[in-house]
Amino acid sequence: MPYATLSDFTAVGSIANLSAADITGFFLPFGQSRVDAALGRKYTVPLSSNIPLVVQLNVLYARHAFYAARTKSDDAKELGKLIEGIVSDVVSGNVPLIDSAGLTIQPSNASGTVWSNTMDHPPAFNMLPEEQQRVSRDLLQETRDELD
């Protein structure tokens, strides 16, 4: 479910030859997926739709997708730069996410780095012949310990 609604999208301005079905069926869901991808390394997604900045980003990504698809390259480039600036400010922590009640949304991954439970172990599959590939014993033991 997109963060923004049709009324959020049209509040920014109407676009000729763009139906409400196109907006709600493709462009807003596409914008939501882009917001999730951009903020997902720092915040747990999906986010709440009561965060005005997230709604704004959803609308901007949707409009950017429309302009890019309709080859309005100048408008798409301008929106792209605006979006990049907003996202980099949010991810860097310069601009906090604040919901409509005034509460700050805390990042779930403050460092913004990707983490995996296998990152400290050798890869399970490598270029060795199939019969020589083995999963790290330490990883297996840690996994068993977590399950117990």
Side-chain angles (χ1 to χ4, degrees):
M1 181 110 190
Y3 301 119
T5 62
L6 178 62
S7 61
D8 294 325
F9 187 90
T10 56
V12 177
S14 63
I15 297 177
N17 301 324
L18 185 59
S19 69
D22 289 338
I23 295 169
T24 58
F26 176 74
F27 289 106
L28 286 177
F30 176 79
Q32 184 219 353
S33 67
R34 295 295 307 268
V35 170
D36 289 349
L39 301 181
R41 66 178 183 244
K42 187 97 169 176
Y43 295 92
T44 302
V45 293
L47 297 158
S48 174
S49 61
N50 70 341
I51 305 169
L53 186 59
V54 171
V55 172
Q56 179 188 12
L57 277 172
N58 191 170
V59 170
L60 290 174
Y61 271 122
R63 294 179 81 81
H64 181 265
F66 174 79
Y67 291 141
R70 303 297 166 118
T71 65
K72 294 186 176 186
S73 61
D74 292 340
D75 292 336
K77 285 179 185 176
E78 186 177 321
L79 268 178
K81 288 178 183 176
L82 175 64
I83 292 168
E84 282 180 29
I86 293 170
V87 168
S88 67
D89 283 345
V90 170
V91 170
S92 68
N94 293 336
V95 174
L97 288 183
I98 300 173
D99 68 10
S100 56
L103 301 174
T104 302
I105 309 301
Q106 298 300 322
S108 57
N109 183 5
S111 65
T113 57
V114 178
W115 182 86
S116 167
N117 67 340
T118 62
M119 64 192 277
D120 296 327
H121 302 284
F125 300 100
N126 51 37
M127 299 302 290
L128 292 172
E130 186 175 336
E131 62 275 359
Q132 294 179 358
Q133 292 185 13
R134 301 279 188 255
V135 177
S136 168
R137 289 183 182 170
D138 294 335
L139 174 61
L140 289 175
Q141 188 59 45
E142 286 177 17
T143 305
R144 283 189 196 112
D145 291 345
E146 286 176 10
L147 294 175
D148 291 339

